[in-house]
Amino acid sequence: MKSKRKRTAAVLYNKPTSITTASDLSHQENLAKKEGDDHGSGELVLVAPPIASSYNDRIRPVLDAVDKLRNLAVMEEGVQLPTIVVVGDQSSGKSSVIESLAGINLPRGQGICTRVPLIMRLQNHSSPLPELFLEYDKKVVRTDEEHVSQAINKATQVIAGPGKKISKTPLTLVVKKKGIPDLTMVDLPGITRVPVHGQPENIYDQIKDIIMEYIKPEESIIINVLSATVDFPTCESIRMSQSVDKTGERTLAVVTKSDKSPEGLKEKVTADDVHIGLGYVCVRNRVGNESYEDARVAEAKLFESHPLLSKIDKSIVGIPVLAQKLMEIQARSIARNLTDIVKKINDKLSHNISEFKTLPKAMSSMAESMSSFMRVIGQVKESLRKILLRGEFDEYPNDKKMHCKARLVEILNDFFCDLKECPQSNPTRDFLMDEIKYLEEAKEISLPNFFSRTIFLSILQEKVNGISSIPTDFVETLWSYIEEVVMTVLMSHVQNYYQLQLSAKRAGLNLIEKMKENSMKWVSEVVEMEKLTDYTCNPEFEIEYKKLMAQKDAFMRNVYSCNSMNIEGLGLVDLVNPSKSPHLLPQAFDLRMKMVAYWNIVLTRFVDSMALHLQLSVHKLVNDHLERELVAQMMAPDGNGLEKMMDESPLVATKRAKLDGSINKLKECKEILAKIMDRTATTSCGE
Ligand code: GDP
Ligand code: MG
């Protein structure tokens, strides 16, 4: 481990001052020389800052863990990971910077090259042979330095399609190479204002959306790549990073092409017109077909000997300095965010697990379907018994509609009021007019002062006909209320059984319709009965009738002298013109009083019988009919049989699969993090 650590340091942290003397050494020689330096000799001064020396042992496993989480796409679960994001205007040199850090060749050139987010996982490893992999489309493709450009282009074509289109689906490139920094960064498509041929009109918005998605999270570190040849405040990428990181505390600027535009560079980075919190690093990337090693040597030479560039502080120039800074920033960012990530993953996991539990259980056998069906029926019956029969509403404490007993009494009271307040129930209306009309038409050869019962029945029939719509309306109101209640209860119990919903709905509606018809039949029979016979054994009738008839003499006295009189039990009545049929007046008065006394009996009988009928109907519905109808619907030839109950609703199936996937993923993440936390704990204990 120790030698590996030193070797990493050897390539990355050699001091530019010393390397100038070794500029003509080939890379292999360089390495050999550096390895020799492990024993303390040679011109190269190898400095491994403390953070770098402990870096591989301490941070690398954590970085690996974070990378694993990234590979599992934990960000799709809403858990943000610390990410170094490289942004910059088109051709500012983003890919070149990454290339310099990785020591490989990436596709570059004029026009748009980076068309998908490229996640670069750089890993230092001990073997002198580099290993490169591309991960995309659920595949891992091995490649090498010579072919990496082509491989990336090919993968980009698979992800984003041919041509110049872009996509937000990332591509991962793993580079394991001796001497490179352990860093994970994302290279994003460059910002273009004007679409080139073959690009969609909204290319700017598309790219902006991708960039924003990556740089928005607080956990992201933004590397803003700026070309020394441009005026920094005019850079689009500066505007974008400033929009999400106002103070610049998570933005680092990398100034490329220092070689092309050395004039005023020192002043530009010192002035810091664009508020870069994490500072500037000026670099010179590979130019043309230069080798990676030659480029580093040329860079070192440039900043050492160029009359202007050599004046820039050495702590902010060169790729090795950038690598070192990035590793420090990355380590800090991960350390800062790790506990939070663990917490977020745990929270998300328990949330998903509890959501998963609320999903209906998938049924796999007839026995299971059967027992679920029976259970649903049992639950529905119990709920309905509670609210409709027993008046307990603990299941619906705040839903007044479901407090059925009280609501039913109200419906019944309304019915009684409607009956009492209709014109037919007004005892003073058209006082004695109908009575005289009927008496006149019933003249016959007989003793005076007798009237036949037929007259009373005729008046009664006319009155009952007049109110017959009130009981029918009542039946309508009553059943539409019961329907609402029954369907609410029914649907709430079958909501987890997609296939049962249809049958239950049909059963509920069918049954209510049948029961309503039955009530209609009953109510019209009650109306018919009232029309056919005038009978009561209720003593109230006799008492009331006698009380009213006691006022007959007074009436006969007043009828010729007054226009109106107050009759107790009726109120103020208009007195008819007595001259018309004076001899019929006593009989007419008798008829009216009998009717007034009897009409009260008729109305209460309507309400009483409807109340009892209602109770019986609801009883039958809850205890017997509903279950029978549900079973009948379920077993009907065209119904959804019990087997079908096992079919899950597509909606639930999708949700189940999604939650299942997400739970597994989060569990895996949790394990990865648990391991790393254990390790961190043991390491610090061992120290
Ligand atoms: P990207 O579009 O931001 O990824 O930019 P590229 O990395 O593809 O670079 C665009 C062009 O600038 C390429 O031709 C590079 O060779 C060139 N370039 C990048 N960095 C430097 C540098 O430091 N010096 C010089 N001279 N050219 C550079
Ligand atoms: Mg690029």
Side-chain angles (χ1 to χ4, degrees):
M1 196 44 114
K2 189 170 177 242
S3 69
K4 182 179 141 199
R5 216 186 288 160
K6 287 211 172 175
R7 250 182 261 127
T8 316
V11 180
L12 279 171
Y13 308 105
N14 40 16
K15 277 198 171 166
T17 33
S18 311
I19 210 167
T20 47
T21 56
S23 61
D24 49 359
L25 286 177
S26 74
H27 180 52
Q28 289 306 322
E29 284 167 331
N30 237 336
L31 279 177
K33 191 100 185 118
K34 283 164 210 152
E35 248 142 56
D37 287 336
D38 277 9
H39 306 289
S41 63
E43 314 127 291
L44 296 178
V45 182
L46 304 167
V47 179
I51 181 135
S53 62
S54 66
Y55 189 85
N56 289 328
D57 303 342
R58 307 268 303 271
I59 302 298
R60 172 69 174 275
V62 184
L63 183 57
D64 281 348
V66 172
D67 282 339
K68 272 186 201 153
L69 303 192
R70 200 186 310 278
N71 266 8
L72 283 168
V74 71
M75 303 237 231
E76 281 169 17
E77 304 295 328
V79 179
Q80 294 300 338
L81 297 175
T83 307
I84 296 179
V85 188
V86 183
V87 298
D89 294 4
Q90 205 181 0
S91 292
S92 57
K94 297 176 295 301
S95 299
S96 301
V97 168
I98 293 177
E99 198 180 60
S100 301
L101 289 167
I104 56 155
N105 299 338
L106 287 176
R108 59 176 189 180
Q110 295 305 309
I112 187 170
C113 291
T114 312
R115 298 195 286 129
V116 300
L118 174 67
I119 301 174
M120 295 279 304
R121 291 178 53 199
L122 309 185
Q123 296 182 356
N124 174 37
H125 82 165
S126 51
S127 153
L129 295 174
E131 282 175 32
L132 281 80
F133 309 93
L134 273 178
E135 295 171 359
Y136 66 101
D137 211 16
K138 299 201 174 89
K139 289 187 292 209
V140 177
V141 181
R142 213 189 163 101
T143 178
D144 55 36
E145 283 186 84
E146 201 185 326
H147 299 101
V148 66
S149 273
Q150 286 156 279
I152 290 177
N153 279 335
K154 201 174 142 208
T156 304
Q157 296 230 344
V158 173
I159 297 171
K164 306 253 161 76
K165 281 190 230 131
I166 62 159
S167 164
K168 58 185 273 184
T169 311
L171 161 69
T172 302
L173 173 63
V174 182
V175 181
K176 296 186 181 182
K177 199 173 171 178
K178 195 168 181 175
I180 60 171
D182 282 282
L183 275 177
T184 299
M185 323 172 259
V186 189
D187 183 15
L188 293 176
I191 306 156
T192 35
R193 266 285 175 200
V194 191
V196 295
H197 182 69
Q199 278 181 347
E201 273 305 306
N202 65 347
I203 188 79
Y204 173 77
D205 295 323
Q206 282 190 28
I207 295 176
K208 191 176 168 183
D209 285 351
I210 298 180
I211 295 177
M212 288 311 250
E213 192 180 315
Y214 276 90
I215 64 173
K216 217 171 188 171
E218 287 289 321
E219 293 82 357
S220 293
I221 301 293
I222 307 167
I223 302 188
N224 218 320
V225 177
L226 309 164
S227 164
T229 57
V230 303
D231 192 20
F232 299 163
T234 65
C235 287
E236 189 73 30
S237 66
I238 284 287
R239 242 173 285 164
M240 273 189 200
S241 71
Q242 277 178 346
S243 75
V244 292
D245 178 27
K246 292 202 171 48
T247 55
E249 61 184 353
R250 51 189 181 90
T251 305
L252 173 84
V254 176
V255 183
T256 60
K257 309 187 191 177
S258 307
D259 53 322
K260 274 187 154 180
S261 195
E263 299 80 22
L265 184 57
K266 183 170 189 268
E267 291 67 33
K268 258 167 133 174
V269 299
T270 326
D272 186 22
D273 288 338
V274 288
H275 312 297
I276 301 289
L278 296 175
Y280 293 76
V281 180
C282 303
V283 300
R284 175 215 182 266
N285 292 310
R286 208 163 63 89
V287 177
N289 287 329
E290 233 174 20
S291 76
Y292 162 70
E293 292 76 20
D294 288 348
R296 292 290 66 76
V297 171
E299 181 185 60
K301 209 170 171 179
L302 180 73
F303 288 110
E304 189 59 31
S305 50
H306 189 281
L308 291 171
L309 297 177
S310 60
K311 302 249 166 26
I312 303 175
D313 195 302
K314 292 290 171 286
S315 67
I316 62 161
V317 295
I319 289 291
V321 166
L322 176 63
Q324 168 68 11
K325 276 206 173 167
L326 287 179
M327 286 199 291
E328 283 171 26
I329 290 169
Q330 178 178 256
R332 272 205 304 272
S333 162
I334 291 179
R336 197 171 48 230
N337 290 302
L338 206 57
T339 19
D340 213 35
I341 294 172
V342 173
K343 188 181 174 300
K344 274 190 193 150
I345 286 178
N346 284 343
D347 288 354
K348 189 84 196 167
L349 185 60
S350 45
H351 174 264
N352 283 1
I353 288 175
S354 61
E355 198 168 333
F356 193 85
K357 280 189 189 146
T358 64
L359 286 181
K361 236 178 111 233
M363 280 169 282
S364 53
S365 69
M366 274 294 273
E368 256 183 83
S369 302
M370 184 67 165
S371 75
S372 301
F373 182 53
M374 302 303 284
R375 195 171 51 245
V376 167
I377 291 185
Q379 286 167 345
V380 170
K381 278 169 75 170
E382 183 50 24
S383 282
L384 287 176
R385 265 191 202 121
K386 268 188 177 178
I387 56 173
L388 278 168
L389 303 182
R390 301 205 295 265
E392 300 164 1
F393 42 81
D394 53 303
E395 288 177 25
Y396 305 91
N398 299 317
D399 189 353
K400 289 220 160 169
K401 184 190 81 192
M402 305 303 273
H403 302 177
C404 300
K405 288 206 114 176
R407 299 296 86 78
L408 284 174
V409 170
E410 279 166 15
I411 295 177
L412 213 55
N413 281 344
D414 287 348
F415 173 48
F416 193 35
C417 284
D418 288 348
L419 286 174
K420 278 204 302 198
E421 280 158 18
C422 69
Q424 285 79 1
S425 301
N426 179 358
T428 63
R429 188 175 77 135
D430 299 337
F431 194 63
L432 303 190
M433 301 237 255
D434 281 349
E435 287 81 357
I436 288 176
K437 188 179 81 192
Y438 275 98
L439 284 166
E440 273 180 344
E441 293 313 301
K443 285 187 284 240
E444 56 183 344
I445 304 166
S446 65
L447 287 171
N449 289 335
F450 278 99
F451 62 81
S452 94
R453 179 173 162 253
T454 333
I455 298 176
F456 183 78
L457 269 182
S458 304
I459 298 175
L460 179 65
Q461 276 165 11
E462 198 182 302
K463 270 170 92 80
V464 174
N465 275 339
I467 59 142
S468 62
S469 67
I470 299 175
T472 0
D473 289 349
F474 162 73
V475 170
E476 284 285 351
T477 315
L478 178 71
W479 283 104
S480 63
Y481 170 69
I482 296 178
E483 178 178 304
E484 214 182 323
V485 170
V486 170
M487 293 318 279
T488 307
V489 171
L490 205 51
M491 291 338 263
S492 77
H493 286 286
V494 297
Q495 66 181 355
N496 285 345
Y497 305 92
Y498 167 69
Q499 299 294 345
L500 201 53
Q501 283 171 13
L502 297 171
S503 314
K505 193 165 187 176
R506 224 179 314 163
L509 294 175
N510 267 359
L511 178 61
I512 300 287
E513 190 55 39
K514 269 192 244 169
M515 299 205 69
K516 189 168 101 181
E517 255 171 51
N518 191 42
S519 287
M520 281 295 182
K521 222 155 94 191
W522 162 259
V523 82
S524 57
E525 249 171 42
V526 170
V527 170
E528 283 311 304
M529 285 191 286
E530 292 297 347
K531 287 195 324 201
L532 193 69
T533 314
D534 49 339
Y535 172 76
T536 182
C537 66
N538 190 341
E540 273 299 309
F541 168 71
E542 279 291 324
I543 299 167
E544 182 69 14
Y545 174 59
K546 278 191 182 137
K547 226 194 264 169
L548 293 168
M549 283 305 279
Q551 304 176 75
K552 187 177 172 185
D553 291 344
F555 166 74
M556 292 309 290
R557 273 195 306 277
N558 285 332
V559 74
Y560 297 105
S561 52
C562 306
N563 287 334
S564 63
M565 82 172 271
N566 195 31
I567 297 179
E568 206 190 315
L570 267 68
L572 198 65
V573 295
D574 285 332
L575 297 176
V576 287
N577 183 355
S579 62
K580 211 174 167 200
S581 313
H583 65 287
L584 293 177
L585 279 174
Q587 277 174 298
F589 185 84
D590 193 353
L591 266 175
R592 171 65 60 125
M593 296 309 127
K594 203 171 251 155
M595 186 56 78
V596 170
Y598 187 60
W599 192 243
N600 278 338
I601 302 289
V602 172
L603 294 193
T604 25
R605 203 153 48 201
F606 263 130
V607 177
D608 286 353
S609 59
M610 284 325 292
L612 298 189
H613 167 78
L614 155 72
Q615 288 289 85
L616 180 65
S617 302
V618 170
H619 213 276
K620 280 186 184 165
L621 172 115
V622 175
N623 287 327
D624 179 34
H625 296 351
L626 187 62
E627 174 167 350
R628 252 198 275 180
E629 191 68 39
L630 278 168
V631 174
Q633 276 295 341
M634 203 61 184
M635 301 305 168
D638 61 334
N640 292 329
L642 274 178
E643 310 89 83
K644 277 228 179 134
M645 244 182 100
M646 288 181 252
D647 298 352
E648 199 158 55
S649 104
L651 218 75
V652 176
T654 326
K655 196 168 175 196
R656 185 190 303 283
K658 203 170 154 225
L659 276 176
D660 201 39
S662 152
I663 289 173
N664 285 337
K665 187 190 284 183
L666 290 165
K667 274 188 181 156
E668 211 175 315
C669 293
K670 197 177 159 170
E671 264 168 42
I672 292 170
L673 288 172
K675 272 190 206 142
I676 202 77
M677 296 304 237
D678 280 355
R679 204 173 156 153
T680 320
T682 13
T683 325
S684 46
C685 286
E687 272 167 5

